[in-house]
Amino acid sequence: MATPDATPHRSDALTLEVVELIGSVVARYHEEYEEAAAGHALTGAQAKLLSLLSLEPLPMRKLAQRLKCEPSNVTGIVDRLEARGLVERRPDPADRRVKLAAATAEGRRVARSLRESLRFAREPLAGLSEGERVALRDALRRMLG
């Protein structure tokens, strides 16, 4: 029976190439995401927060967890998006002491436009068959545990 310390650590040429390719895909995605955000006069962090809020309203604490940053940073980002009319604060119906940040209709429109402009995130995947996309998804899920 394998122990956690017995987990294989591969450094063969194929594994190293896969690691490099994953890094390249991530870097290109982030580069395109930053360009798309700039096209809407947003920073990458503002665009990510707006994208999260376009799915559902969230409390500041949860936003900070998802963005992996301090709650005070989230407050500043929400303040700037709120000043542009893209986000609003509202009481949480389940606990009125908690404020939720929520995308406005304009914020949802901008988030949708951002998603649609991310060609690199979609076009290479469109060239793969459904079976290849399923296999890739399943492999990535296994990697993330």
Side-chain angles (χ1 to χ4, degrees):
M1 179 153 100
T3 63
D5 292 338
T7 302
H9 297 282
R10 295 194 175 124
S11 59
D12 58 273
L14 176 60
T15 299
L16 295 175
E17 181 181 7
V18 169
V19 169
E20 287 293 318
L21 289 169
I22 290 170
S24 295
V25 166
V26 169
R28 283 191 52 197
Y29 176 79
H30 282 292
E31 182 180 306
E32 186 172 302
Y33 198 88
E34 292 289 330
E35 288 173 10
H40 291 277
L42 297 170
T43 65
Q46 289 171 336
K48 288 174 189 152
L49 188 142
L50 186 58
S51 292
L52 284 173
L53 293 179
S54 73
L55 302 174
E56 64 178 325
L58 294 166
M60 301 292 195
R61 184 185 73 259
K62 191 167 278 190
L63 277 169
Q65 289 169 346
R66 294 207 182 153
L67 293 172
K68 296 179 179 23
C69 68
E70 293 297 317
S72 59
N73 292 344
V74 169
T75 300
I77 295 169
V78 169
D79 288 345
R80 288 185 286 285
L81 292 173
E82 189 173 35
R84 290 188 50 190
L86 302 175
V87 167
E88 64 185 8
R89 288 176 170 92
R90 56 172 84 140
D92 184 342
D95 183 350
R96 297 192 62 77
R97 295 169 297 173
V98 175
K99 290 285 187 194
L100 298 176
T104 62
E106 177 64 8
R108 287 188 299 278
R109 186 196 67 74
V110 169
R112 187 171 42 256
S113 177
L114 271 166
R115 277 191 302 276
E116 290 168 358
S117 69
L118 294 173
R119 292 177 315 280
F120 178 71
R122 288 189 320 267
E123 289 175 3
L125 291 174
L128 300 177
S129 71
E130 182 176 356
E132 289 170 323
R133 290 192 314 272
V134 167
L136 177 59
R137 180 204 59 201
D138 292 349
L140 291 170
R141 283 181 175 170
R142 280 184 49 211
M143 287 176 66
L144 293 171

